[in-house]
Amino acid sequence: MTLNRRTFLGTGVAAAATLSAPMVRAQGRPRVVVIGGGAGGATAARYIAKDSEGAIDVTLIEPSRTYFTCFFSNLYLGGFRTLESLAHTYAKLATDYGINVVHDWATGVDRDAKTVALAGGGSVPYDKLVISPGIDFVDGSVPGWDISAQGVMPHAYKAGTQTALLKAQIEAMPQGGVFVMVAPPNPYRCPPGPYERISMVAHYLKANNPTAKIIVADPKEQYSKQALFEEGWQKHYPGMVERLGPDFGGGNVSVDPGAMTVDIDGEVVKADAVNVIPAQKAGHICEVAGLTDGNWAPVDGHSMVSRLDPEIYILGDASAQGDMPKSGFSANSQAKVAAMAVRGALTGSRVFPAKFSNTCWSLIATDDGVKVGAAYEPTEEKIASVSSFVSQTGEDAAMRKATYEESLGWYSGITSDMFG
Amino acid sequence: MRALVAAVMIALAPAGAALAQDKAELIGDASRGEEAFRQCRGCHQVGPGAENRVGPHLNGIFGRRAGSIEGFDYSDGMDRAHADGMVWTIERLDAYLENPRALVSGTRMSFRGIKDAQERHDVMAYLRRYSASPRDIPESQPTAFRSEVDLPPEILAIVGDREYGEYLASECLTCHKRDGADDGIPSIVNWVEEDFVIAMHAYKRQIRPHPVMQMMAGRLSDEEIAALATYFATID
Ligand SMILES: Cc1cc2nc3c(=O)[nH]c(=O)nc-3n(C[C@H](O)[C@H](O)[C@H](O)COP(=O)(O)OP(=O)(O)OC[C@H]3O[C@@H](n4cnc5c(N)ncnc54)[C@H](O)[C@@H]3O)c2cc1C
């Protein structure tokens, strides 16, 4: 069956009209509720609505009216993007796809009654539930830091206000000042993210505050694209970046937000800007719903269905799936597999074998882009990597520039794929 | 191009075996090429930190415009090739390596040339390591490399399952825009199906150099490639 755009829009609008938050009623159509309108959730909602052509009633629960992508937020710190260019709204998901977008927090899931409770009161029933809430932080992972300190020592690991704050702090650093990053332990969202951030902070400082210093306290022995970043820092920002790995006490860190100091293995550093990226766990709602095992929510990679509840699919950073990195690209890829599985279960549409992929681009300096990626397939045990590639050190400038330009294309592609 | 690729395919893989395990070295064997490159090293550097010596460095040579390394003093003949817009494609490099003067008269490269085709291909496979530049993907002109893989007719005859193609395409659409916009990433909509199929097999066999596309295409079956070609040829 192919509906033309007009008929489709018609059913969508009609559907939207019959839905009103917080209590959702739909006549006869199967109901899908999606919690979280980020890389995983927005994509899943859009694909389910688009491909079911109105046959499935889709509700998206997301507190923010504007989604700021974490991807490219480091480029904003470096001065390559504006904050506005990272902002996306849910308008098209409502108008063009007939998705009922509810701006509220999901506060609980009644898995027996199959309803989602909302912070604003009321609840939404579902036949299938998709959860993609991203990350929350592990309490106490950096002694001295908690959410109340994020206004002084921002994490900027959920984009928007936090990213703007971190940028303002970097810009306010005195000449020759000190920037400290407390890097997270594995696993965390966007493995190259902290190091792309260091590159972008260095890029800004080199132009505006060339005697400033950057210290990275890192609990990890190794990190993503390490050879590429180290080569780039050496080339573009010689002498500016000092990374203290676990051998140098980078794993033994506490902070004092009042004094603006960071204690690295007994060495107290007075800093002018501090970026604390704490240890991470699945978005809190997963734990509330009883879907976690440890810090993350286990899923079966054939469909992204929860290993603890066959009616619930968990996407993106929150899921424990196997080899895929926690990235926007991964969440988007997983969303398409889940969307297909959900449609198959509710409408009997064809279900094909799951395929996943990921590519993460990072910018090291102007026109110096690198990338890493892999393809994945599900096994009984996990989503397993089947092939991969990474940029090489010593690539020529033209290749690096083309890689950067490719990342601009990707950003445009994935955000259209999420928000229509 | 056709002759070269065909020769190489026969040398290294059974004809028509479009297998994922066909390696990047399809144009030749890079480690043998590294050996053979010794005869070039007196004048040329390649790899991390390579610089111009008697001859220009060779990083990024594939897809590079001839005579385009800034600060290198080329012969008039090479300057002319540059002005003519000559680009170092596989076939041009092959011709140049075989007999430099045949391609660029008056070149300063005083080198007798490599007569053995296999050896030339090995050297090119080695150079390509430092050269997997996305710029030489000719997606913008899908037919330009038509003969880059010789596909047996039964592969070209597969009728694509459009619905399957639509699902598979969702993976492409993370980067390639459905509306055909091509900033930074080429457009893949509304191609002639056969061009699409040939291009994907060329990536799959790692004849085309782009690493993301080699990975994506590397895991697609012949049927899946056909399904994608059908889908992208028929979206509106
Ligand atoms: C600095 C940085 C750079 C990055 N760069 C890249 C990159 O270049 N490429 C890449 O692929 N990835 C990148 N990432 C990673 C990427 O941002 C995440 O992996 C991706 O956003 C994960 O998608 P998600 O759907 O799991 O979560 P998110 O995109 O975070 O979406 C979760 C959504 O759920 C909502 N939510 C949470 N709890 C609830 C609730 N209880 N009720 C309702 N809604 C809720 C949130 O408001 C949020 O909008 C980067 C991340 C960072 C921090």
Side-chain angles (χ1 to χ4, degrees), chain B residues 53-65:
Chain B
R53 304 295 286 268
V54 177
H57 77 75
L58 298 176
N59 288 347
I61 183 80
F62 284 91
R64 182 162 93 196
R65 189 154 169 189

Side-chain angles (χ1 to χ4, degrees), chain B:
Chain B
M1 184 74 186
R2 175 179 291 267
L4 169 64
V5 174
V8 176
M9 297 297 300
I10 288 161
L12 290 143
L19 302 174
Q21 53 266 37
D22 290 3
K23 283 278 178 306
E25 284 71 45
L26 265 183
I27 48 164
D29 179 302
S31 46
R32 279 203 311 259
E34 187 168 5
E35 279 297 310
F37 188 73
R38 282 200 188 157
Q39 54 193 314
C40 318
R41 272 195 205 285
C43 300
H44 289 286
Q45 295 191 345
V46 69
E51 285 174 6
N52 297 336
R53 304 295 286 268
V54 177
H57 77 75
L58 298 176
N59 288 347
I61 183 80
F62 284 91
R64 182 162 93 196
R65 189 154 169 189
S68 63
I69 299 278
E70 207 123 0
F72 186 81
D73 186 17
Y74 290 98
S75 65
D76 290 348
M78 197 57 87
D79 281 341
R80 217 170 303 118
H82 176 88
D84 291 346
M86 185 170 96
V87 169
W88 289 119
T89 58
I90 290 182
E91 65 191 330
R92 290 231 179 71
L93 269 179
D94 191 50
Y96 195 60
L97 287 176
E98 184 175 18
N99 181 357
R101 288 201 167 75
L103 189 70
V104 182
S105 31
T107 177
R108 290 211 188 99
M109 185 156 106
S110 52
F111 179 58
R112 67 197 177 290
I114 304 174
K115 297 301 161 233
D116 178 35
Q118 185 60 56
E119 190 178 336
R120 290 197 301 275
H121 299 168
D122 293 344
V123 169
M124 288 195 288
Y126 172 64
L127 291 176
R128 168 161 273 183
R129 277 197 191 159
Y130 304 98
S131 214
S133 172
R135 282 170 309 155
D136 35 3
I137 312 172
E139 269 84 358
S140 49
Q141 333 148 31
T143 48
F145 276 64
R146 217 178 160 89
S147 55
E148 63 197 339
V149 282
D150 269 330
L151 292 175
E154 56 280 17
I155 291 187
L156 290 172
I158 298 171
V159 177
D161 174 343
R162 191 177 185 282
E163 216 176 312
Y164 190 21
E166 181 168 14
Y167 163 65
L168 293 168
S170 69
E171 187 160 48
C172 314
L173 293 171
T174 302
C175 298
H176 296 277
K177 294 194 73 169
R178 198 184 184 289
D179 65 10
D182 60 358
D183 296 330
I185 294 200
S187 167
I188 54 170
V189 301
N190 297 326
W191 280 34
V192 174
E193 280 183 53
E194 191 173 314
D195 292 341
F196 192 103
V197 170
I198 288 173
M200 293 301 280
H201 281 280
Y203 283 120
K204 182 169 170 163
R205 297 180 185 185
Q206 309 202 341
I207 292 167
R208 286 196 182 198
H210 196 267
V212 179
M213 287 309 302
Q214 289 180 353
M215 180 182 84
M216 291 302 193
R219 64 218 260 262
L220 296 173
S221 67
D222 297 345
E223 285 70 26
E224 288 171 333
I225 288 175
L228 278 168
T230 302
Y231 176 71
F232 279 116
T234 55
I235 59 178
D236 42 41

Side-chain angles (χ1 to χ4, degrees), chain A residues 30-254:
Chain A
R31 293 157 308 193
V32 171
V33 173
V34 179
I35 300 177
T43 308
R46 178 169 165 271
Y47 270 79
I48 294 169
K50 170 172 81 68
D51 293 339
S52 73
E53 296 169 329
I56 297 176
D57 174 344
V58 182
T59 298
L60 176 63
I61 304 172
E62 163 62 53
S64 309
R65 282 166 175 75
T66 306
Y67 178 84
F68 288 91
T69 57
C70 278
F71 24 107
F72 276 22
S73 66
N74 288 327
L75 274 62
Y76 158 69
L77 297 177
F80 293 91
R81 299 288 288 211
T82 61
L83 191 58
E84 298 73 56
S85 77
L86 308 178
H88 303 269
T89 76
Y90 297 92
K92 276 198 196 153
L93 293 186
T95 58
D96 294 10
Y97 298 92
I99 295 167
N100 179 29
V101 181
V102 177
H103 290 303
D104 203 347
W105 289 95
T107 52
V109 179
D110 183 333
R111 284 164 45 191
D112 297 324
K114 295 175 82 174
T115 57
V116 175
L118 300 175
S123 67
V124 193
Y126 64 84
D127 295 303
K128 297 282 182 192
L129 176 62
V130 178
I131 310 185
S132 192
I135 52 151
D136 275 308
F137 300 115
V138 175
D139 282 340
S141 73
V142 178
W145 191 94
D146 63 20
I147 282 295
S148 69
Q150 73 171 14
V152 182
M153 294 185 170
H155 53 78
Y157 237 59
K158 298 184 184 187
T161 316
Q162 276 279 303
T163 328
L165 181 63
L166 183 61
K167 184 164 171 66
Q169 293 188 353
I170 295 163
E171 289 172 357
M173 282 170 59
Q175 289 298 311
V178 176
F179 173 93
V180 180
M181 170 189 281
V182 179
N186 288 322
Y188 60 96
R189 80 170 12 166
C190 195
Y195 310 98
E196 180 187 56
R197 175 169 294 173
I198 292 301
S199 309
M200 290 294 96
V201 173
H203 174 81
Y204 172 84
L205 292 175
K206 183 182 174 186
N208 298 283
N209 190 349
T211 54
K213 286 268 170 286
I214 297 175
I215 298 171
V216 187
D218 200 334
K220 302 181 293 298
E221 297 280 355
Q222 286 169 349
Y223 60 89
S224 171
K225 302 187 210 170
Q226 184 160 357
L228 296 167
F229 282 116
E230 284 173 357
E231 177 192 53
W233 296 342
Q234 191 66 40
K235 177 171 171 203
H236 301 292
Y237 320 113
M240 187 179 262
V241 183
E242 186 185 0
R243 175 176 169 272
L244 304 171
D247 301 356
F248 294 88
N252 180 21
V253 174
S254 65

